[in-house]
Amino acid sequence: MTSAPRIVATDLCVRASGPGSVSVTQVRASKAGGLQVIAEHLRVPRSDVVAYGDMPADIGLLQGAGRGIAVAGAHPAVTAAADEVARAADDDGVAWHLRDLF
């Protein structure tokens, strides 16, 4: 993977988000933070929140949910951070997992 171009700003975070791609966000912005804001707005307790992920940028999201689910084939760090593993994305893993929840 080539390096991301240097960005001159102190409040930006540049992360590898997948093969050949990067994500650029504000340092204070995160998937976990967004999840928290939405759950609070909807008055959903953390224990009732389920989140799915496959790449290292999703680890905070999975840890911020009551149940963090990695999809099969996820990055090893994501699988390690998850509470459980669903079928692969190519096998409709999230859909099958949601069906089983409901």
Side-chain angles (χ1 to χ4, degrees):
M1 182 172 153
T2 59
S3 297
R6 182 172 175 85
I7 298 173
V8 181
T10 59
D11 63 342
L12 295 179
C13 178
V14 180
R15 288 190 183 109
S17 56
S21 63
V22 296
S23 63
V24 180
T25 59
Q26 288 184 318
V27 170
R28 294 176 305 278
S30 69
K31 291 181 180 185
L35 179 68
Q36 181 180 352
V37 167
I38 292 167
E40 288 174 0
H41 177 75
L42 296 174
R43 297 184 180 147
V44 175
R46 179 179 177 266
S47 60
D48 289 345
V49 174
V50 177
Y52 299 87
D54 65 345
M55 294 302 292
D58 298 325
I59 291 173
L61 176 73
L62 299 184
Q63 293 172 336
R67 285 176 69 182
I69 316 297
V71 295
H75 187 280
V78 176
T79 301
D83 298 308
E84 57 189 280
V85 178
R87 294 181 187 189
D90 290 346
D91 193 23
D92 300 326
V94 172
W96 282 105
H97 194 268
L98 287 170
R99 184 198 68 136
D100 292 344
L101 281 176
F102 297 103

